[in-house]
Amino acid sequence: MNGGAALRFVAASARYPGADRDAIAEIDLDVAPGEFVVLLGPSGCGKSTLLRTVNRLVALARGRIELDGADVAATDPVTLRRGIGYAIQAVGLFAHMSVARNVAVVPSLLGWEPARIAARVDELLALVRLDPARYRDRFPRALSGGEAQRVGVARALAAEPRVLLMDEPFGAVDAIVRTELQRELIDIVARLGTTTLFVTHDVEEALRLADRLVVMRDGRIEGQGTVEELLEAPASPYVRALLRADDPIDRAYFEHARSALRGSR
Amino acid sequence: MWPDLLAHTLQHVKLALAALAVATTLGLPLGVLAATQPRVRGLLLSLTGVGRTLPSIAVLMLLLPVLGVGTAPAVAALALLAIPPIAINADVGIRGVPLAVLEAAGGLGMTATQRFARVVAPLAAPVAFAGIRTAATETIASATLATFVGAGGLGDDIVRGLQTGNPAPLYAGAVTVALLALAVELLGARIGRALEAP
Amino acid sequence: MSYLHTHLARVLALAGAHVALVALALIAAGAVALPLGVAAARRPRLGAWLLGGFGVVYTIPSLALLAVLVRFFGLGDGPVFIALVAYAQFMLVRNVVVGINGVDRAQIDAARGLGMSARQTLVRVELPQALGVMLGGVRVAAIAMIAIATLAGYVGGSGLGVLIFNGLTLHNQSMVVAGSLAIAALAILVDGGFRLLEARSFPGGRASA
Ligand SMILES: Nc1ncnc2c1ncn2[C@@H]1O[C@H](COP(=O)(O)OP(=O)(O)OP(=O)(O)O)[C@@H](O)[C@H]1O
Ligand SMILES: [Mg+2]
């Protein structure tokens, strides 16, 4: 369909007001259209911040970010964000809106026809394994943590964005549904060609999903490459330890899980 | 006019203090009772709901046929209005004392009375005082209306100024009562902070 | 009680005037307080100043403020209207601020991140969720205003206070009692009505409920 956008970070640094150091520093990263990049790294290393610079929720102090060659800083933030799917760590479903209205937020901001929106909502709910008839009219208060996260993912996907930013979107989902959702996500982004930045703490999830892995530490990129590249030649002892690259059993397991998940691709 | 103003200020303060004293004497034990007896608390909560909703002027006037005019009826009416916030806050303060603290106090071998005096009361004091503070501010303000039941106070000056079209007592009374109310509010805030500090 | 029986039409007419005065003042006060409250929520320092100032006004006994206003604006409902609008600001602005600040940060983040403008975020996310708290402020303000509007009867205005103050002048106790009862009933009724509205103001159910 619309295909993904190319995303490029050039020496991008950001700092929160009052902080004494950069939350992300000197980030250089090229993401090809349709590529699935997973960000991995310890808590507080700047993964969420990096995502939030793309849709300008956090402003860069230095450097720039280009979307299809255009500096995002020169794009109207509201227009920019409507073209970028965003699923946040804290979910942030609108408490006063039903599940359907939550999912419909971006399409209705974009002025879609009600019938088209309704059909899209049902399609997305089914996609994230929530029976539309049962969940459509519920309010967020009546959802479990994992169900809420899935609605958050559906909301991010609603308007078929060209870029998808996902911040630990499956953290509270049980292992079985999580695997299903990972598979669905891979299918969707492959079908639409969506460029995806995906944050996770879960190494297994990272290895399964990533076209390319970016390992961060203290606001910087510590290593990046395809899963195979990083497993073969970890950029640093930290990356090696994180990926448990030395453990043959873990490796064999990851590779098996990965090929099972991505076999269709 | 100035001696009048001074006399009325004193009268106003006395009226409010008397009402507050009565309300505190009755309200604090009522709050303690409510904290231990769910039925009393239920009753208190519904009375408070109504009490907060009823305009004080209506209460003042409804007691008029029963109690007549003068200082005593005004004190009674003001006290009645001041009891609910005091009692409710005492109840909330006491019930806010953590169970673990109570158990620890019991473990140290304190009797029930000692426990109340040395543990519960000090811990509940800031919240309970907040109720007294609310009541004090409201009482000072409502005491202005006591002039309508013949109990004097600074309302007298305001009313005289309005009736005679003479601005001097009107402004004097209005400004004095406003300053009085603000002073009570600020003093209350200070004491409240001091109670919470340690 | 006897006065209520014999003069029911008059009591009702005065109750109507009382309600009209309070309702008009409440609408005016809300129109002022909503933008002020939004601004105060956005700028905490401005908020502190506004609430401090309105808090001072709120502390001034109503008869005192009203008497001064009568000096400037003459007798009648006019000065009462101004006093009502002024008193209500503290309660209304405070609750707008509390309501808006109470909205979960993650939802604001999501709203902005999904491409809502600042205005859309306010109208579609913040205000709807602040509605319950704001209605609470409106209720408290309305009750206080019903009480204060009674004084209109003392400064040549309309409303149920007329019964109280005319009754006092005429030494007609049943008139005073009738006026007081009617005001008390009005306050309780309005309180109940707003509580019902508050309970229905949040379709998703309140997190703390
Ligand atoms: N709004 C903010 N204001 C100030 N500092 C912030 C803010 N948000 C994040 N930080 C700081 O910036 C750094 C990076 O935070 P970030 O949220 O990007 O980490 P993260 O990698 O997403 O961590 P986690 O895995 O725990 O989600 C941290 O040191 C954090 O304390
Ligand atoms: Mg994060």
Side-chain angles (χ1 to χ4, degrees):
Chain A
M1 286 196 213
N2 45 10
L7 186 61
R8 183 156 181 242
F9 293 74
V10 184
S13 303
R15 175 182 294 218
Y16 288 102
D20 56 0
R21 57 188 193 89
D22 293 339
I24 57 168
E26 303 294 324
I27 299 290
D28 286 304
L29 180 64
D30 256 307
V31 186
E35 199 177 8
F36 198 116
V37 170
V38 173
L39 304 175
L40 207 53
S43 191
C45 72
K47 305 179 296 293
S48 299
T49 306
L50 185 70
L51 287 198
R52 293 158 58 81
T53 56
V54 176
N55 61 10
R56 294 187 56 190
L57 286 173
V58 172
L60 289 185
R62 292 179 307 285
R64 64 179 192 281
I65 296 172
E66 290 171 3
L67 206 60
D68 276 343
D71 191 341
V72 294
T75 318
D76 166 51
V78 168
T79 316
L80 175 77
R81 290 169 189 158
R82 286 180 192 175
I84 298 178
Y86 184 47
I88 60 175
Q89 203 169 357
V91 192
L93 294 185
F94 303 126
H96 62 299
M97 296 183 187
S98 66
V99 164
R101 282 190 58 214
N102 264 286
V103 176
V105 162
V106 183
S108 57
L109 284 171
L110 293 171
W112 288 19
E113 294 290 321
R116 184 178 170 209
I117 293 179
R120 180 73 179 142
V121 166
D122 285 0
E123 183 191 338
L124 283 161
L125 288 179
L127 197 78
V128 294
R129 303 286 185 271
L130 295 172
D131 176 10
R134 274 184 64 204
Y135 286 91
R136 206 188 282 127
D137 297 322
R138 284 214 200 160
F139 281 90
R141 203 166 109 68
L143 299 176
S144 75
E147 288 166 347
Q149 275 192 330
R150 281 136 78 183
V151 175
V153 169
R155 183 172 69 174
L157 293 169
E160 302 193 348
R162 301 182 63 209
V163 175
L164 201 48
L165 306 174
M166 309 195 92
D167 201 344
E168 301 187 34
F170 303 141
V173 179
D174 69 82
I176 293 173
V177 175
R178 185 187 256 228
T179 310
E180 285 179 19
L181 292 180
Q182 288 168 348
R183 186 171 291 134
E184 284 294 351
L185 185 64
I186 289 282
D187 275 358
I188 298 164
V189 298
R191 184 154 43 83
L192 300 176
T194 317
T195 308
T196 308
L197 285 186
F198 188 103
V199 172
T200 182
H201 268 123
D202 177 351
V203 177
E204 189 182 329
E205 182 169 69
L207 295 175
R208 284 175 165 195
L209 292 173
D211 290 328
R212 194 142 53 96
L213 267 174
V214 170
V215 179
M216 291 182 68
R217 196 180 174 193
D218 288 338
R220 293 174 187 274
I221 294 182
E222 175 108 354
Q224 57 170 304
T226 62
V227 173
E228 289 74 16
E229 283 166 1
L230 283 187
L231 286 175
E232 288 310 323
S236 72
Y238 173 73
V239 176
R240 176 189 300 268
L242 186 74
L243 300 182
R244 285 173 282 172
D246 297 331
D247 187 327
I249 297 175
D250 272 350
R251 272 195 66 170
Y253 171 71
F254 289 146
E255 273 158 21
H256 171 74
R258 182 173 164 83
S259 59
L261 188 69
R262 301 173 67 103
S264 58
R265 242 180 135 180
Chain B
M1 166 200 152
W2 295 115
D4 261 15
L5 185 68
L6 189 65
H8 287 155
T9 307
L10 280 177
Q11 206 174 21
H12 197 104
V13 172
K14 271 191 203 157
L15 202 61
L17 277 182
L20 264 182
V22 174
T24 308
T25 313
L26 295 176
L28 286 182
L30 187 60
V32 175
L33 203 63
T36 48
Q37 312 269 317
R39 280 162 143 218
V40 178
R41 183 182 320 137
L43 196 69
L44 179 63
L45 280 174
S46 37
L47 281 180
T48 307
V50 179
R52 276 205 195 127
T53 310
L54 289 186
S56 43
I57 184 128
V59 174
L60 223 51
M61 293 301 161
L62 284 173
L63 289 176
L64 196 62
V66 188
L67 301 171
V69 296
T71 306
V75 169
L78 293 176
L80 202 61
L81 286 164
I83 289 173
I86 294 175
I88 280 288
N89 274 56
D91 165 54
V92 171
I94 290 169
R95 283 187 301 124
V97 176
L99 213 60
V101 174
L102 288 182
E103 279 165 10
L108 291 174
M110 291 189 187
T111 66
T113 323
Q114 283 171 332
R115 215 160 36 169
F116 184 81
R118 298 192 194 173
V119 179
V120 175
L123 283 175
V127 180
F129 177 76
I132 298 179
R133 186 185 153 195
T134 306
T137 313
E138 279 171 12
T139 305
I140 281 283
S142 298
T144 319
L145 303 174
T147 179
F148 296 123
V149 294
L154 286 162
D156 273 8
D157 300 273
I158 299 173
V159 162
R160 184 151 48 87
L162 275 173
Q163 279 169 350
T164 59
N166 178 3
L170 188 155
Y171 284 130
V175 169
T176 310
V177 81
L179 291 178
L180 204 55
L182 285 173
V184 168
E185 177 71 16
L186 292 179
L187 185 71
R190 253 217 151 132
I191 299 176
R193 270 199 301 275
L195 277 176
E196 269 170 47
Chain C
M1 271 308 183
S2 54
Y3 189 90
L4 270 179
H5 280 289
T6 48
H7 294 77
L8 188 61
R10 172 138 200 262
V11 174
L12 288 179
L14 288 171
H18 204 106
V19 169
L21 179 60
V22 169
L24 274 182
L26 194 56
I27 290 167
V32 176
L34 186 62
L36 285 183
V38 171
R42 297 274 182 265
R43 271 165 276 221
R45 285 195 47 167
L46 173 71
W49 276 104
L50 276 178
L51 285 176
F54 288 139
V56 169
V57 174
Y58 180 71
T59 311
I60 299 172
S62 46
L63 184 63
L65 182 66
L66 185 59
V68 173
L69 289 171
V70 165
R71 289 289 308 168
F72 283 95
F73 300 98
L75 292 168
D77 283 337
V80 182
F81 179 86
I82 297 171
L84 292 178
V85 173
Y87 274 112
Q89 291 312 307
F90 178 67
M91 298 167 268
L92 295 177
V93 171
R94 180 191 56 192
N95 279 44
V96 173
V97 172
V98 171
I100 289 182
N101 285 343
V103 179
D104 167 25
R105 288 301 315 165
Q107 291 179 44
I108 309 293
D109 195 48
R112 301 310 300 273
L114 292 168
M116 289 194 196
S117 64
R119 201 187 164 74
Q120 283 167 331
T121 306
L122 178 70
V123 173
R124 296 186 185 203
V125 179
E126 292 174 287
L127 290 182
Q129 295 200 39
L131 191 62
V133 177
M134 293 196 300
L135 272 176
V138 173
R139 171 172 56 80
V140 175
I143 301 306
M145 289 162 94
I146 287 174
I148 295 167
T150 307
L151 295 175
Y154 190 69
V155 296
S158 54
L160 290 165
V162 168
L163 293 179
I164 292 182
F165 292 104
N166 284 3
L168 283 177
T169 316
L170 302 171
H171 295 287
N172 182 343
Q173 228 167 48
S174 70
M175 199 165 152
V176 174
V177 170
S180 304
L181 282 177
I183 289 166
L186 189 60
I188 288 172
L189 222 69
V190 168
D191 183 69
F194 273 112
R195 280 183 194 278
L196 275 182
L197 268 184
E198 271 170 65
R200 279 152 200 247
S201 69
F202 205 98
R206 220 157 297 161
S208 58

